[in-house]
């Protein structure tokens, strides 16, 4: 077991205590706990969203030891990036619904495949991996990115640093998170909730071993994450640790300034969450820009699984528009 810095433990504990103390009385405290449990937007007693029943086909190629799955047809390439604690299975319903119109490309981020073990990557390494996959599947034509959670963080950064390779962005549930405008839109309790779960997962990665796995699986269960909790490990939590220890400082500085998409963007988000990962002003401004679109669905954080038909229809409709051809 790796030793965990006392600052991480203390901050995580204090954040959780302050989050609890911010609620007045037992009734309010229970309500805040239910909000936290319902982070995926589902009632605590309801079923969690789940991946599709079909298995992912054999990979078409490997990039740096990472299996890359390609399905579908056409010149349009949709490169899909997931977040915590998911794998490329997150996009099962999108591949099934979109592969007649586009080529769907997906892979599991390093460290997120339980069969392959831990593999933390720096920001530069992650962007390089995305670029190598993009070059392998679409060497002569820019592609569109479909992104969720940490996939948004990495994908937005890739689009900003490789604008010639990206013709369109589809961001899911993560907008200008971390910007000054977003910070102003959050209450103190909201900010403490974010700090609590992120520091919990950062500590899980640093502690490692069976204890770190148990911490990660615990939070995956209460967040109603679609991944099988038994397949979740602390190896998936390295982005939180790197973010809180300053390794993603470049992203943090960019995020504080706000996110300005370098190309046309479709932004989809779930309305049924205890807090939003975008500022209202950012979403309103984005919706007014030509070639951009904002769609809110009656869902939680994993809206592509909770509302697959509506989600796919919004993606198809936007892809049919002239967003950079």
């Amino acid at each position: 077991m790796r030793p965990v810095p006392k600052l991480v433990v203390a901050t995580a504990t204090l954040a959780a205590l302050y989050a609890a103390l911010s609620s007045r009385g037992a009734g309010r405290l229970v309500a805040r706990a239910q909000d936290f449990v319902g982070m995926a937007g589902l009632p605590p007693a309801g079923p969690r969203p789940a991946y599709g029943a079909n298995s992912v086909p054999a990979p078409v190629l490997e990039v740096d030891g990472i299996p890359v799955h390609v399905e579908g047809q056409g010149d349009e390439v949709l490169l899909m990036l997931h977040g915590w604690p998911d794998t490329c299975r997150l996009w099962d319903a999108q591949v099934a619904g979109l592969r007649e119109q586009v080529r769907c490309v997906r892979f599991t981020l390093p460290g997120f495949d339980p069969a392959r073990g831990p593999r933390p990557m720096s920001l530069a390494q992650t962007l390089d991996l995305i670029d190598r996959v993009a070059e392998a599947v679409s060497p002569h034509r820019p592609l569109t990115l479909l992104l969720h959670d940490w996939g948004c963080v990495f994908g937005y950064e890739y689009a900003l640093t490789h604008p010639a390779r990206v013709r369109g962005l589809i961001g899911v549930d993560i907008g200008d998170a971390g910007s000054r405008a977003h910070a102003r839109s959050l209450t103190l309790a909201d900010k403490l909730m974010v700090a609590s779960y992120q520091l919990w997962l950062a500590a899980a990665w640093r502690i490692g071993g069976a204890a770190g796995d148990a911490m990660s699986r615990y939070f995956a269960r209460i967040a109603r994450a679609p991944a099988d909790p038994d397949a979740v490990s602390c190896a998936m939590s390295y982005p939180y640790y790197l973010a809180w220890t300053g390794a993603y400082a470049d992203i943090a500085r960019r995020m504080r300034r706000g996110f300005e998409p370098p190309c046309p963007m479709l932004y989809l988000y779930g309305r049924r969450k205890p807090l939003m990962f975008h500022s209202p002003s950012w979403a309103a401004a984005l919706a007014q820009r030509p070639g951009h679109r904002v769609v809110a669905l009656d869902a939680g954080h994993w809206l592509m699984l909770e509302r697959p038909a509506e989600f796919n229809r919004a993606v198809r409709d936007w892809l049919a528009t002239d967003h950079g051809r």
Side-chain angles (χ1 to χ4, degrees):
M1 181 183 296
R2 293 186 294 263
V4 59
K6 293 181 180 179
L7 179 60
V8 171
V9 175
T11 307
T13 303
L14 287 173
L17 287 173
Y18 274 109
L21 292 173
S22 67
S23 302
R24 296 179 181 176
R28 290 289 302 280
L29 182 57
V30 169
R32 293 302 294 176
Q34 289 176 332
D35 276 348
F36 197 66
V37 170
M39 186 166 292
L42 299 172
R48 62 180 175 86
Y51 301 151
N54 297 328
S55 60
V56 178
V60 172
L61 68 151
E62 280 198 3
V63 176
D64 195 20
I66 304 297
V68 179
H69 307 271
V70 183
E71 298 174 71
Q73 56 191 3
D75 295 329
E76 180 87 18
V77 174
L78 200 58
L79 177 55
M80 306 169 170
L81 301 178
H82 65 85
W84 185 92
D86 297 305
T87 68
C88 66
R89 294 293 310 279
L90 176 72
W91 305 111
D92 285 353
Q94 283 59 62
V95 173
L98 300 171
R99 62 188 170 194
E100 296 301 320
Q101 292 81 35
V102 298
R103 276 194 296 146
C104 300
V105 180
R106 52 180 169 158
F107 63 93
T108 295
L109 289 170
F112 284 71
D113 187 341
R116 292 176 176 262
R119 189 180 172 183
M121 297 185 78
S122 68
L123 174 60
Q125 290 172 322
T126 303
L127 297 182
D128 180 65
L129 174 63
I130 296 170
D131 190 49
R132 292 171 64 184
V133 172
E135 286 291 333
V137 299
S138 187
H140 306 299
R141 179 183 172 91
L143 41 70
T144 298
L145 300 178
L146 174 54
L147 314 166
H148 180 247
D149 197 78
W150 276 105
C152 288
V153 178
F154 300 138
Y156 293 165
E157 194 68 15
Y158 179 75
L160 289 169
T161 55
H162 299 74
R165 298 294 298 127
V166 181
R167 62 178 296 266
L169 287 173
I170 305 174
V172 184
D173 219 51
I174 305 293
D176 65 332
S179 69
R180 295 182 180 92
H182 180 238
R184 288 193 296 268
S185 72
L186 299 176
T187 66
L188 176 60
D190 291 338
K191 294 173 183 177
L192 291 169
M193 181 186 292
V194 172
S196 297
Y197 86 79
Q198 290 191 359
L199 284 165
W200 177 270
L201 293 173
W205 187 88
R206 191 67 180 88
I207 291 169
D213 287 345
M215 291 173 66
S216 298
R217 291 165 184 168
Y218 171 77
F219 185 72
R221 286 188 177 93
I222 68 170
R224 305 287 185 197
D228 178 1
D230 291 335
V232 174
S233 76
C234 59
M236 300 174 170
S237 300
Y238 71 85
Y240 294 104
Y241 184 83
L242 295 180
W244 278 91
T245 54
Y248 289 167
D250 290 344
I251 290 183
R253 282 191 290 269
R254 191 270 301 161
M255 291 170 68
R256 281 194 292 273
R257 295 193 297 269
F259 175 55
E260 290 294 328
C263 56
M265 179 175 182
L266 168 65
Y267 179 60
L268 301 107
Y269 70 94
R271 288 190 294 257
R272 271 192 294 115
K273 303 191 303 292
L275 56 89
M276 297 294 164
F277 296 100
H278 66 267
S279 64
S281 59
W282 178 84
L286 187 72
Q288 298 301 313
R289 294 173 59 178
H292 297 65
R293 189 174 298 173
V294 176
V295 177
L297 298 182
D298 183 26
H301 185 54
W302 286 275
L303 51 159
M304 74 289 288
L305 295 175
E306 295 178 58
R307 295 287 185 268
E310 297 172 58
F311 186 100
N312 289 352
R313 182 166 56 250
V315 171
R316 274 195 301 267
D317 290 348
W318 184 75
L319 288 175
T321 65
D322 184 9
H323 66 285
R325 289 185 174 86

